[in-house]
Coordinates of all heavy atoms in Angstrom, one line a residue:
L1 N 17.5 4.2 -19.1 CA 17.5 5.1 -20.2 C 17.7 4.3 -21.5 O 18.8 3.9 -21.8 CB 18.7 6.1 -20.0 CG 18.7 6.8 -18.6 CD1 19.8 7.8 -18.5 CD2 17.3 7.5 -18.3
A2 N 16.6 4.2 -22.2 CA 16.6 3.3 -23.4 C 17.4 4.0 -24.5 O 18.0 5.0 -24.3 CB 15.2 3.1 -23.8
N3 N 17.4 3.3 -25.6 CA 18.2 3.7 -26.8 C 17.7 5.0 -27.4 O 16.9 4.9 -28.3 CB 18.3 2.5 -27.8 CG 18.9 2.9 -29.1 OD1 19.7 3.9 -29.1 ND2 18.5 2.2 -30.1
I4 N 18.1 6.1 -26.8 CA 17.7 7.4 -27.3 C 18.9 8.3 -27.3 O 20.0 8.0 -26.9 CB 16.6 8.0 -26.4 CG1 17.0 8.0 -24.9 CG2 15.3 7.3 -26.5 CD1 16.0 8.6 -23.9
D5 N 18.7 9.5 -27.8 CA 19.7 10.6 -27.9 C 20.5 10.7 -26.6 O 19.8 11.0 -25.6 CB 19.1 11.9 -28.3 CG 20.1 12.9 -28.7 OD1 21.1 13.0 -28.2 OD2 19.7 13.7 -29.7
P6 N 21.8 10.7 -26.6 CA 22.6 10.9 -25.4 C 22.3 12.2 -24.7 O 22.4 12.3 -23.5 CB 24.0 10.8 -25.8 CG 24.0 9.9 -27.0 CD 22.7 10.2 -27.7
D7 N 21.9 13.2 -25.5 CA 21.6 14.5 -24.9 C 20.3 14.4 -24.0 O 20.3 15.0 -22.9 CB 21.4 15.6 -26.0 CG 22.7 16.1 -26.5 OD1 23.6 16.4 -25.7 OD2 22.7 16.3 -27.7
I8 N 19.4 13.6 -24.4 CA 18.2 13.3 -23.6 C 18.5 12.5 -22.4 O 18.0 12.8 -21.3 CB 17.1 12.6 -24.5 CG1 16.7 13.5 -25.7 CG2 15.9 12.3 -23.6 CD1 15.7 12.9 -26.6
Q9 N 19.4 11.5 -22.6 CA 19.8 10.7 -21.4 C 20.5 11.6 -20.4 O 20.2 11.4 -19.2 CB 20.8 9.6 -21.9 CG 20.1 8.6 -22.8 CD 21.0 7.6 -23.4 OE1 22.2 7.9 -23.6 NE2 20.6 6.3 -23.6
L10 N 21.3 12.5 -20.8 CA 22.0 13.4 -19.9 C 21.0 14.3 -19.2 O 21.1 14.6 -18.0 CB 23.1 14.2 -20.6 CG 24.4 13.4 -21.0 CD1 25.2 14.2 -21.9 CD2 25.1 13.0 -19.7
D11 N 20.0 14.8 -19.9 CA 19.0 15.7 -19.4 C 18.2 14.9 -18.3 O 18.0 15.5 -17.2 CB 18.0 16.1 -20.5 CG 17.0 17.1 -20.0 OD1 17.2 17.8 -19.0 OD2 15.9 17.1 -20.6
V12 N 17.9 13.7 -18.5 CA 17.2 12.9 -17.4 C 18.1 12.7 -16.2 O 17.7 12.9 -15.1 CB 16.8 11.5 -18.0 CG1 16.3 10.6 -16.9 CG2 15.8 11.6 -19.1
L13 N 19.4 12.4 -16.4 CA 20.4 12.3 -15.3 C 20.5 13.6 -14.5 O 20.6 13.5 -13.3 CB 21.7 11.8 -15.9 CG 21.8 10.4 -16.4 CD1 23.1 10.2 -17.1 CD2 21.6 9.4 -15.3
N14 N 20.4 14.7 -15.2 CA 20.5 16.0 -14.5 C 19.2 16.2 -13.7 O 19.3 16.9 -12.6 CB 20.7 17.1 -15.5 CG 22.1 17.1 -16.1 OD1 23.0 16.6 -15.5 ND2 22.2 17.6 -17.3
Q15 N 18.1 15.7 -14.1 CA 16.8 15.9 -13.4 C 16.6 14.9 -12.3 O 16.0 15.2 -11.3 CB 15.7 15.8 -14.4 CG 15.5 16.9 -15.4 CD 14.3 16.7 -16.3 OE1 13.2 16.6 -15.7 NE2 14.5 16.5 -17.5
A16 N 17.1 13.7 -12.5 CA 16.8 12.6 -11.5 C 17.4 12.9 -10.2 O 18.6 13.3 -10.0 CB 17.4 11.3 -12.1
N17 N 16.6 12.7 -9.1 CA 17.0 13.0 -7.8 C 17.3 11.7 -7.1 O 16.4 10.9 -6.8 CB 15.9 13.8 -7.0 CG 16.4 14.2 -5.7 OD1 17.6 14.2 -5.3 ND2 15.4 14.6 -4.8
S18 N 18.6 11.4 -6.8 CA 19.0 10.2 -6.0 C 18.4 8.9 -6.6 O 17.8 8.2 -5.9 CB 18.6 10.4 -4.6 OG 19.2 11.5 -4.0
P19 N 18.7 8.7 -7.9 CA 18.2 7.4 -8.4 C 18.8 6.2 -7.7 O 20.0 6.3 -7.3 CB 18.6 7.4 -9.9 CG 19.7 8.4 -10.0 CD 19.5 9.4 -8.9
K20 N 18.1 5.2 -7.5 CA 18.6 4.0 -6.8 C 19.7 3.3 -7.7 O 20.7 2.8 -7.2 CB 17.5 3.0 -6.6 CG 17.9 1.7 -5.9 CD 16.7 0.9 -5.3 CE 15.8 0.5 -6.4 NZ 14.7 -0.3 -5.9
L21 N 19.5 3.3 -9.0 CA 20.5 2.7 -9.9 C 20.1 3.2 -11.3 O 18.9 3.5 -11.6 CB 20.4 1.2 -9.8 CG 21.3 0.3 -10.7 CD1 21.6 -1.0 -10.0 CD2 20.6 0.0 -12.0
V22 N 21.1 3.4 -12.2 CA 20.9 3.9 -13.5 C 21.4 2.8 -14.5 O 22.6 2.4 -14.4 CB 21.5 5.2 -13.8 CG1 21.4 5.6 -15.2 CG2 21.0 6.3 -12.9
A23 N 20.6 2.4 -15.5 CA 21.0 1.5 -16.6 C 20.8 2.3 -17.9 O 19.8 3.0 -18.0 CB 20.3 0.2 -16.5
L24 N 21.7 2.1 -18.8 CA 21.7 2.8 -20.1 C 21.9 1.9 -21.3 O 22.8 1.0 -21.2 CB 22.7 3.9 -20.0 CG 22.9 4.9 -21.2 CD1 23.3 6.3 -20.7 CD2 23.9 4.4 -22.2
D25 N 21.2 2.1 -22.3 CA 21.3 1.4 -23.6 C 21.7 2.4 -24.7 O 21.4 3.6 -24.5 CB 20.0 0.6 -23.9 CG 20.2 -0.4 -25.0 OD1 21.3 -0.6 -25.5 OD2 19.2 -1.0 -25.4
T26 N 22.2 1.9 -25.7 CA 22.6 2.8 -26.9 C 22.7 2.0 -28.2 O 22.4 0.8 -28.2 CB 23.9 3.5 -26.6 OG1 24.0 4.6 -27.5 CG2 25.1 2.6 -26.7
M27 N 23.1 2.6 -29.2 CA 23.2 1.9 -30.5 C 24.3 2.6 -31.4 O 24.8 3.6 -31.0 CB 21.9 1.9 -31.3 CG 21.4 3.3 -31.7 SD 19.9 3.4 -32.6 CE 20.3 2.5 -34.1
N28 N 24.6 2.0 -32.5 CA 25.8 2.5 -33.3 C 25.5 3.9 -33.8 O 26.5 4.6 -34.0 CB 26.0 1.5 -34.5 CG 24.8 1.2 -35.3 OD1 23.7 1.7 -35.0 ND2 25.0 0.4 -36.4
F29 N 24.3 4.3 -34.1 CA 24.0 5.6 -34.6 C 24.5 6.7 -33.6 O 25.1 7.7 -34.0 CB 22.5 5.8 -34.8 CG 22.1 7.2 -35.3 CD1 22.3 7.5 -36.6 CD2 21.6 8.1 -34.4 CE1 21.9 8.8 -37.1 CE2 21.3 9.4 -34.8 CZ 21.4 9.7 -36.2
W30 N 24.3 6.5 -32.3 CA 24.7 7.5 -31.3 C 26.2 7.4 -31.1 O 26.9 8.4 -30.8 CB 24.0 7.3 -30.0 CG 22.5 7.3 -30.1 CD1 21.6 6.3 -29.8 CD2 21.7 8.4 -30.7 NE1 20.3 6.8 -30.1 CE2 20.4 8.0 -30.6 CE3 22.1 9.7 -31.2 CZ2 19.3 8.9 -31.1 CZ3 21.0 10.5 -31.6 CH2 19.7 10.1 -31.6
I31 N 26.8 6.2 -31.3 CA 28.3 6.1 -31.2 C 28.9 6.9 -32.3 O 29.9 7.5 -32.1 CB 28.7 4.6 -31.2 CG1 28.1 3.8 -30.0 CG2 30.2 4.5 -31.3 CD1 28.3 2.3 -30.1
D32 N 28.4 6.8 -33.5 CA 28.9 7.5 -34.6 C 28.7 9.0 -34.6 O 29.5 9.8 -35.0 CB 28.3 7.0 -35.9 CG 28.8 5.6 -36.3 OD1 29.9 5.2 -35.9 OD2 28.1 4.8 -36.9
S33 N 27.5 9.4 -34.1 CA 27.1 10.8 -34.2 C 27.3 11.6 -32.9 O 27.5 12.9 -33.0 CB 25.6 10.9 -34.6 OG 24.8 10.3 -33.7

């Protein structure tokens, strides 16, 4: 889950069926907002 809106990242996690592994990136904009 690349550096995108955490709401979108959570949406993907809710859809994903038994992922083998999940890696996530972020940035200061999402940390602040």
Side-chain angles (χ1 to χ4, degrees):
L1 308 182
N3 172 22
I4 52 178
D5 190 326
D7 281 319
I8 298 178
Q9 293 173 330
L10 287 168
D11 183 26
V12 173
L13 289 169
N14 291 333
Q15 293 183 58
N17 186 17
S18 302
K20 181 167 59 177
L21 181 147
V22 176
L24 181 146
D25 194 1
T26 194
M27 65 181 295
N28 56 357
F29 178 80
W30 303 121
I31 297 171
D32 289 332
S33 62

